[in-house]
Amino acid sequence: EVKLVESGGDLVQPGGSLRLSCAASGFIFETYGMYWFRRAPGKGLEWVSTINSRGTSTLYPPSVKGRFTVSRDNAKNMLYLQLNSLRTEDTGVYYCTTRVLSAGSIPSSQGTHVTVSS
């Protein structure tokens, strides 16, 4: 059974940083590309980042490119998302996933809450 547990969310001021973590189990992590999505209050899921199985290739949407960095440690079955220069519009629940989700999807994991506010 695929299990993904996100952590690291917090309340942070604009301009601040956070590091999100995702602990993966129940599947061969090193063979999967991984994704981060987020859901802002009252909005649909938004893709935030993609990383390939070896961690050698990453993708970001324009809204976070240059501010967010995805990485992974296959030896530890861990996925990370470094969030820098945070903005109020980055507020939301962040989810890690093994597949691309549509805006109306409901992730199977609980996510981690990021609130950017002064």
Side-chain angles (χ1 to χ4, degrees):
E1 177 189 358
V2 172
K3 186 175 182 181
L4 299 166
V5 180
E6 302 91 345
S7 62
D10 205 346
L11 170 64
V12 63
Q13 292 187 342
S17 297
L18 283 175
R19 189 194 196 204
L20 308 184
S21 299
C22 170
S25 61
F27 63 104
I28 304 175
F29 180 73
E30 63 186 11
T31 67
Y32 278 72
M34 294 293 295
Y35 307 84
W36 285 98
F37 284 80
R38 67 185 179 188
R39 191 192 305 277
K43 297 188 177 180
L45 279 177
E46 176 190 12
W47 167 64
V48 173
S49 68
T50 301
I51 187 167
N52 69 345
S53 60
R54 293 179 296 165
T56 57
S57 179
T58 58
L59 289 170
Y60 308 91
S63 58
V64 308
K65 191 172 184 179
R67 301 188 298 119
F68 291 8
T69 303
V70 60
S71 61
R72 63 191 297 162
D73 185 337
N74 286 345
K76 296 181 179 179
N77 284 6
M78 292 293 297
L79 179 71
Y80 305 101
L81 186 66
Q82 178 69 39
L83 288 63
N84 296 330
S85 302
L86 282 162
R87 305 167 180 169
T88 55
E89 55 263 38
D90 295 318
T91 293
V93 183
Y94 284 69
Y95 303 92
C96 60
T97 73
T98 60
R99 57 190 179 93
V100 175
L101 300 179
S102 63
S105 296
I106 299 175
S108 59
S109 56
Q110 295 207 346
T112 188
H113 291 250
V114 173
T115 302
V116 184
S117 175
S118 55

